[in-house]
Amino acid sequence: QVQLVESGGGLVQAGGSLRLSCAASGLTFSSHRMGWFRQAPGKEREFVGAIGSSGGLRTYRDSVKGRFTISRDDAKNTVNLQMNNLKPEDTAVYYCAAQQPSGGHWAYWGQGTQVTVSS
């Protein structure tokens, strides 16, 4: 059974930093592209960024480029999201996800962790 468990969310002032972590189990972690998504109240879930299998290509949505960094540790089956210079518009529930090794849909999801940025 695949499990993705996020941690590290919380309340931070604008301009501050948070580091989210996602611990994965039940899958061959290194084979999966891993991603972060977020959903703000009243809005649809949106892509934040992703990192390829074994630390390959990183992609980010434009609004977080230069502020957020995704990394992974395949030995520990974890993927991290370092968020710097946070803005109130970054407030959302953040989800970790694993993509099918074939490059298909995002097959597995965590339960989410709340990030709140106060102005």
Side-chain angles (χ1 to χ4, degrees):
Q1 181 181 358
V2 176
Q3 281 193 312
L4 302 178
V5 180
E6 301 96 337
S7 61
L11 173 64
V12 64
Q13 288 188 332
S17 298
L18 281 175
R19 182 179 176 86
L20 305 183
S21 292
C22 172
S25 61
L27 75 172
T28 306
F29 182 75
S30 62
S31 298
H32 291 264
R33 183 167 177 246
M34 300 298 296
W36 287 94
F37 293 74
R38 66 188 182 187
Q39 187 168 19
K43 295 187 177 181
E44 293 188 354
R45 188 175 298 185
E46 63 183 21
F47 173 81
V48 174
I51 184 168
S53 59
S54 300
L57 179 66
R58 293 173 173 84
T59 57
Y60 302 94
R61 69 179 300 104
D62 286 347
S63 63
V64 308
K65 285 179 180 177
R67 300 189 298 122
F68 290 12
T69 302
I70 295 175
S71 62
R72 65 188 295 159
D73 185 339
D74 288 351
K76 296 181 179 179
N77 285 8
T78 58
V79 59
N80 304 303
L81 180 65
Q82 177 67 42
M83 305 185 294
N84 298 327
N85 190 21
L86 282 160
K87 304 177 180 181
E89 52 264 41
D90 294 318
T91 295
V93 177
Y94 283 71
Y95 298 90
C96 168
Q99 193 177 40
Q100 288 283 24
S102 60
H105 68 286
W106 294 93
Y108 308 109
W109 294 84
Q111 82 290 349
T113 186
Q114 177 70 47
V115 171
T116 303
V117 184
S118 63
S119 57

